[in-house]
Amino acid sequence: MDALRHGWPLAIEGAPLLQPVETAFSDVSGEAMLLSTTRAATLKLANQREAAVPRTPVLMRGAETFDLPAALAVADPALDLQSPMKGPFKALPLEWEEQARAALELARIAGILPAFLVDPQGAGEAAYLAASDVDAFTDPQRLRIASRAKLPVAAAEGARIVAFRSPDDTREHIALVIGEQRADVAPLVRLHSECLTGDILGSLKCDCGPQLDAALHAMSDEADKGGWGVLLYMRQEGRGIGLVNKLRAYRLQDQGFDTVDANTRLGLPDEARDFPTAARMLALLGVKKIRLMTNNPAKVDALVAEGVDVSERVPHSLPDNPHNARYLATKRDRAGHILP
C-alpha cells in the first residue's frame, strides 16, 4: 500500500512491471496500460474476452505511447469532459490475468485509481511480490482483538469498545457492544461501513449518519429490555473504494451519474465491502447467531456465506431528504435494497 501511494511500480512475479498511473512520476511513459473492465467499457473499449470471462482486466495499447498526461486522461473519469477523444485503443491478449487482478485489487485497497502503465520507461525502484500475497493481505483469519475498554456514548453509557487489528492491514476495525452479552440471546447487529462525510460531517448526500445514530439507540432499547447489540464499525469508506475515490464518485454524481454508474466510470466496483472480516469480528466476540439491521438482503446472504447464523433481518429505513433521495432510490432500484 505504501509503495503504491508513493508511486513505486509493482513487480508481481510472472507479469511485466506495473506503474500506478495516479501516483506516477512525471517522466514515466509506456506503450500499454492495464485497466479494469468497467473503466475500459466507459472508454468504449470492448474486452475481447468479456463474453467468455466477464469482468476480466483489460490490457490495452493506444495509437501512441502513453505519457503521464495521456495515461491520466485514460485513468481518471474527471478528465473525460476535458479530453473526450482518447483513442483509438486496442485490447491485447492478457497472459498474466491473476497478476493483473492482484494489481487492480491492491489499487482499490490503497484507494488510488485502478490503472497501471505496463512495462514503463522511467519507473523507479519496484516493490516485489507474488499475486498470492494479496490473498494473505486480505485473509480475515489473521485478524485479532487488539484492545478492549469501556466507552460511554450518548446512546448507551455502559457501552464497551473492542478494537481489531491484522498484521497485514493498516485499517483497524472496532465493535461497540451495548448491553450485557448473553449466549442465549441473539444480539441486534449493525454492520456499518465508515463514512467520514456522513458520520462526522453530517453530509446529506447519504443516510449513513442517521443510520448509525438510529442503530445505536435501537441497541440501547434492546439492552433496556434485557437484550444486547453489537455495532461493527468497518474501515471501508465508500463501500470499499476509499475516501478519495468516493469523493471522485461524488464529483461524477454532480455531473448526473448515479452511485453505481459513478463507480463504474472510475473502474471500481459498486460493492467492495469486506464481509469475511465482519464475520471474523463476530467470531472473535463469540457471537454465532445475530439479528441483522439492514435493508440489503445481499448483506444477509454474504454473512450467511461466511458461516454467520442470521436469524432475522431487521429493517433499518429512515426518511430521505432532497439531497439523498436519488441515492436511496438507486440503492433500491439497482442494488436490491428493500426500501419504501
Side-chain angles (χ1 to χ4, degrees), residues 51-68:
V53 188
R55 302 186 72 83
T56 303
V58 175
L59 177 65
M60 66 167 221
R61 185 184 301 275
E64 299 178 357
T65 299
F66 294 105
D67 59 13
L68 189 55

Side-chain angles (χ1 to χ4, degrees), residues 17-56:
L17 202 65
L18 298 173
Q19 172 72 57
V21 171
E22 180 182 344
T23 54
F25 302 106
S26 59
D27 56 350
V28 177
S29 62
E31 298 294 328
M33 289 185 64
L34 175 69
L35 299 173
S36 70
T37 306
T38 51
R39 181 59 184 155
T42 298
L43 298 170
K44 310 300 182 185
L45 178 66
N47 183 359
Q48 296 167 343
R49 300 180 60 192
E50 178 66 9
V53 188
R55 302 186 72 83
T56 303

Side-chain angles (χ1 to χ4, degrees), residues 303-322:
L303 288 178
V304 169
E306 296 299 325
V308 179
D309 184 352
V310 182
S311 64
E312 181 185 1
R313 183 189 68 82
V314 180
H316 192 44
S317 298
L318 295 167
D320 62 10
N321 67 62

Side-chain angles (χ1 to χ4, degrees), residues 34-47 50 53-60 74-75 77 80 101 104 108 113-115 241 252 259-271 334:
L34 175 69
L35 299 173
S36 70
T37 306
T38 51
R39 181 59 184 155
T42 298
L43 298 170
K44 310 300 182 185
L45 178 66
N47 183 359
E50 178 66 9
V53 188
R55 302 186 72 83
T56 303
V58 175
L59 177 65
M60 66 167 221
V74 170
D80 284 348
R101 290 185 184 276
L104 293 172
R108 180 193 66 79
L113 293 168
I241 67 173
L252 292 173
T259 308
V260 173
D261 288 337
N263 283 29
T264 298
R265 293 186 75 84
L266 284 165
L268 293 163
D270 61 277
E271 176 59 271
R334 301 194 65 183

